[in-house]
Amino acid sequence: MGFSSSYSEVQCFEENAAASVAPDVLGGDINALDAALLFAADNVDHNIILLDGKGTFHGMGMIAAITPGRQTSHTVLRQKIMQLKIVDLAQVDIKEYRFAKYARNNIKFDPMPYFDGDAHKIDILWAMSFRFKKSVPGWQGMMHLLHKDCDHPGQSSVVFLPIIDMYPGDTLCIFSTLEYLCNLANGHKTTAVVTFNQPLYWKA
């Protein structure tokens, strides 16, 4: 049709788009929209050179899942890449972790509510169904059948957050991740709920 976009122009758009999203990455007050916010943090690996294993990237990645999902739009202004400060906008402050300083011994946790074990009964029912039927859905399909008539808030939207260029198992990295996510949640007037994988959860 006579229209084209050069690779440098695409890169320019990507940089400007990232700069337009960074100041308010979650897009408004989560609590006011009656939405649930869940953070997840885990290892991020990028094998830059696979032959000798050198130069690989190993850091902490973070995402935010908002339920129900929503579409947000940002005005992308075209600026020169040299005028943008993407690294500064996506920078996570590294906080020094000292157990004696940050340990809060006065926190009291409420007891967990009693569960009647329905999930365990459903698990047994699903396992027993293999003995009586040849075609049985997987666990995800089983849960879908049980809840297909229930109210559902809709599909979640996932927002990518900055990556910390540190070893994820380092206490400084874990503490800085929690500080960043808690401050982000407080800025959007909601409670921070954070999930890790099991090794990082133990350390956290």
Side-chain angles (χ1 to χ4, degrees), residues 3-174:
F3 294 97
S4 64
S5 181
S6 65
Y7 181 62
S8 60
E9 188 66 21
V10 173
Q11 286 183 311
C12 180
F13 173 76
E14 290 178 345
E15 296 277 356
N16 282 276
S20 67
V21 172
D24 187 16
V25 67
L26 297 182
D29 190 351
I30 301 296
N31 196 28
L33 298 174
D34 195 22
L37 177 64
L38 173 66
F39 295 111
D42 203 347
N43 304 285
V44 172
D45 300 309
H46 180 54
N47 296 318
I48 301 172
I49 302 175
L50 296 175
L51 294 178
D52 56 7
K54 296 181 179 180
T56 57
F57 176 83
H58 190 57
M60 177 78 85
M62 298 175 283
I63 62 170
I66 305 172
T67 308
R70 55 196 178 138
Q71 297 292 330
T72 58
S73 60
H74 298 270
T75 301
V76 180
L77 301 176
R78 191 184 190 286
Q79 304 179 64
K80 293 182 179 180
I81 295 178
M82 63 184 64
Q83 296 175 343
L84 303 175
K85 297 181 180 180
I86 304 296
V87 176
D88 295 338
L89 292 173
Q91 191 71 32
V92 176
D93 293 334
I94 303 303
K95 304 287 186 179
E96 183 180 2
Y97 174 75
R98 295 180 183 178
F99 180 80
K101 179 180 179 181
Y102 292 106
R104 296 177 172 89
N105 298 321
N106 58 342
I107 293 179
K108 294 182 179 180
F109 293 92
D110 294 332
M112 291 289 291
Y114 174 74
F115 295 100
D116 58 4
D118 283 341
H120 181 63
K121 295 175 184 176
I122 294 172
D123 195 9
I124 295 176
L125 175 64
W126 173 67
M128 291 296 295
S129 64
F130 284 95
R131 298 178 60 91
F132 302 104
K133 291 187 67 176
K134 292 184 178 179
S135 60
V136 177
W139 176 249
Q140 184 176 358
M142 179 73 171
M143 298 304 292
H144 178 73
L145 289 174
L146 291 173
H147 297 90
K148 64 180 181 179
D149 296 326
C150 300
D151 294 332
H152 188 269
Q155 186 177 5
S156 303
S157 58
V158 178
V159 179
F160 292 93
L161 301 175
I163 295 175
I164 301 178
D165 187 7
M166 289 183 67
Y167 171 62
D170 193 334
T171 53
L172 271 73
C173 183
I174 294 174

